[in-house]
Amino acid sequence: MRKAIGVFDSGVGGLTVARELIQQLPNEDIVYFGDTARVPYGIKSKETVIKFSIENILFLLKYNVKLICVACNTVSSFALPVIKNHFRVPIVGVISPGVREAVYATQNKRIGVIGTRGTVNSRSYEIEIKQLDPSVKVTAVSCPLFVPFAEEGLLEGDVVLKVAQNYLKPLKNAGVDTVILGCTHYPLLKPVIKKAMGNNVCLIDSAKQVAIEVKKILAAESALNLSGKGRHRFFVSDNPEWFSGLAERFLGKKIKNATKVSI
Ligand code: DGL
């Protein structure tokens, strides 16, 4: 029987990861769950994020998924290390793939990390970077307004640029040459982040690496679908219209129907 890849996020942001999965794995079925009733996770406590994450995983497991992709940096930071080994399916997060790419990309061994308050406070990126290369200096800042900016479609202009310059000042002062976009929404703001940081700074969007890792794991388990066009289903815990309305910007294509479920 064809099995799907399960993907979840606090809401709409994880669609930037789903987009890359769809591109790199066109034969795979995807079941996406966005916890729109409880978004945002970025300001919630570790305990709460863990509880929500377990519930989201249990929902996806009902669809008999073969792998779960945690398409949320806050969940990957707070919950993944705790829950990873409690389920039989492989669970892939977004932190390690982004870290590997950043450590590979940096020339001057100074990496900046931007994310939600939760992600930055967890120090998840810093810890993993140091494990790979202890000589790297990490500067991490949270950019809470970037999430509403991305959702409102405020992706350029003076106001966004000013806010970005302000948030990113510590990274500029630290002389980082690589910045990890440690939040699902931030890839949408790449042009303004680039403008604020300067053209020579390399921006790391982990979605591509996440899709590569998913492919690798499925290939190793001989679980890749090699034929047939993938079917994509979207579930949310609230407000399917809002989710579908934003989907095009995050996923790159329209979603016909997202289904509301209670979990
Ligand atoms: N998906 C979240 C993340 O990547 C951002 C939105 C939220 O705070 O829930 O951290």
Side-chain angles (χ1 to χ4, degrees):
M1 199 187 94
R2 260 173 94 92
K3 281 189 170 184
I5 297 173
V7 182
F8 79 92
D9 174 44
S10 54
V12 76
L15 291 174
T16 57
V17 179
R19 180 183 192 151
E20 205 52 55
L21 288 170
I22 290 170
Q23 204 155 322
Q24 291 193 40
L25 297 156
N27 306 126
E28 296 297 336
D29 297 340
I30 289 177
V31 180
Y32 182 99
F33 175 71
D35 195 7
T36 48
R38 306 189 287 197
V39 69
Y41 283 10
I43 50 164
K44 304 228 160 50
S45 69
K46 180 173 176 174
E47 293 68 34
T48 299
V49 173
I50 292 174
K51 178 178 172 284
F52 290 173
S53 303
I54 293 171
E55 288 165 0
N56 299 344
I57 290 173
L58 292 176
F59 170 76
L60 287 173
L61 288 177
K62 286 191 210 152
Y63 288 84
N64 198 19
V65 292
K66 58 185 170 186
L67 178 146
I68 290 177
C69 178
V70 177
C72 174
N73 289 263
T74 308
V75 172
S76 300
S77 297
F78 273 156
L80 197 59
V82 183
I83 59 179
K84 206 177 158 109
N85 298 322
H86 291 280
F87 296 92
R88 242 186 253 150
V89 283
I91 305 181
V92 178
V94 287
I95 309 291
S96 313
V99 164
R100 280 198 294 271
E101 201 185 347
V103 170
Y104 180 75
T106 183
Q107 304 274 314
N108 70 1
K109 306 233 177 229
R110 285 165 198 219
I111 296 178
V113 176
I114 54 176
T116 62
R117 287 210 175 92
T119 297
V120 169
N121 289 343
S122 76
R123 299 182 58 237
S124 58
Y125 276 105
E126 193 176 339
I127 293 164
E128 285 215 23
I129 290 170
K130 294 277 187 200
Q131 273 165 4
L132 265 194
D133 185 345
S135 70
V136 171
K137 222 179 143 239
V138 180
T139 309
V141 293
S142 61
C143 308
L145 282 173
F146 282 2
V147 168
F149 281 167
E151 291 184 357
E152 291 303 318
L154 259 175
L155 307 179
E156 53 183 17
D158 289 350
V159 173
V160 190
L161 182 62
K162 272 262 156 13
V163 172
Q165 283 167 334
N166 203 37
Y167 278 149
L168 301 172
K169 217 179 270 167
L171 272 60
K172 276 211 98 151
N173 291 344
V176 305
D177 68 351
T178 304
V179 176
I180 299 179
L181 306 177
C183 173
T184 48
H185 289 58
Y186 298 0
L188 271 67
L189 291 157
K190 257 187 204 165
V192 82
I193 295 170
K194 192 106 205 174
K195 218 173 190 176
M197 286 305 297
N199 270 333
N200 296 331
V201 169
C202 171
L203 303 184
I204 305 289
D205 164 3
S206 51
K208 269 197 182 64
Q209 296 304 319
V210 172
I212 291 170
E213 177 144 339
V214 167
K215 200 171 178 175
K216 237 192 252 167
I217 294 173
L218 292 180
E221 297 190 348
S222 304
L224 275 174
N225 281 344
L226 300 171
S227 62
K229 195 172 176 309
R231 188 175 158 219
H232 310 137
R233 279 173 295 172
F234 300 90
F235 296 94
V236 291
S237 47
D238 200 8
N239 230 336
E241 302 80 20
W242 173 81
F243 179 86
S244 301
L246 286 185
E248 196 172 359
R249 190 179 314 136
F250 286 78
L251 188 67
K253 64 172 189 165
K254 282 200 168 75
I255 288 177
K256 270 187 239 109
N257 46 357
T259 309
K260 183 179 165 181
V261 289
S262 48
I263 56 160

